[in-house]
Amino acid sequence: MTNLMTALPKPSASLEGRGVPCGAFEQKAPRHHVNFLRFDLASMQLVVACADWGSLSVAVKHLHCSLSTGSYRLSGMEDALQTQIFLRDHKGLRVTTQGEQIIAHCRSILLHVEKMQKISEPSTHMAIDIRQ
């Protein structure tokens, strides 16, 4: 069985002799590339909890994780999105304008996941045999 990707010539290689520079048709990585693999539900829960409580230390207590883990997850989300979700100061966390939008999306995703979990739960309806 032939691998189709290796069997086809590269577009840039076939145009080299025609004055088109090699690599001219290669896709460039977008400037604002988001690494979605850095997102997980626990990180989204943490972002929402931080927004609700206004404090990372309080949020991690409610989510039963360590402060270092929470800090790592929060900075990971911000790094992946290449934006600051919270402003940090001695009073705690304040949500940025972009952070408000991100938190709204996190809430929506978590709500959808909760709805999916309810679908997969065993039915609480009982079947009643009405035959006599």
Side-chain angles (χ1 to χ4, degrees):
M1 185 169 179
T2 305
N3 183 346
L4 294 177
M5 294 307 290
T6 57
L8 297 173
K10 292 182 179 180
S12 57
S14 64
L15 297 174
E16 269 184 41
R18 299 183 192 165
V20 178
C22 186
F25 294 103
E26 292 176 6
Q27 289 186 344
K28 305 255 189 276
R31 186 176 70 59
H32 188 74
H33 181 262
V34 177
N35 183 359
F36 290 107
L37 298 177
R38 298 275 313 265
F39 291 15
D40 61 8
L41 296 176
S43 295
M44 290 184 201
Q45 285 177 318
L46 177 66
V47 167
V48 170
C50 285
D52 290 346
W53 294 101
S55 166
L56 178 60
S57 59
V58 175
V60 296
K61 285 179 185 175
H62 282 89
L63 295 176
H64 308 291
C65 67
S66 69
L67 185 59
S68 62
T69 298
S71 179
Y72 177 79
R73 285 185 175 279
L74 187 56
S75 63
M77 282 281 287
E78 290 179 327
D79 289 347
L81 291 168
Q82 297 178 355
T83 191
Q84 195 171 7
I85 302 171
F86 298 101
L87 297 174
R88 295 151 178 84
D89 61 22
H90 65 281
K91 294 181 182 178
L93 301 174
R94 290 182 293 138
V95 181
T96 64
T97 303
Q98 294 162 328
E100 289 176 5
Q101 296 173 21
I102 292 166
I103 292 163
H105 286 296
C106 287
R107 287 186 197 279
S108 176
I109 291 167
L110 293 170
L111 180 63
H112 286 291
V113 169
E114 188 177 312
K115 287 179 181 180
M116 287 190 301
Q117 287 175 332
K118 287 181 181 177
I119 291 170
S120 65
E121 288 176 358
S123 178
T124 56
H125 297 64
M126 294 179 60
I128 300 172
D129 188 5
I130 56 173
R131 292 178 277 165
Q132 293 195 358

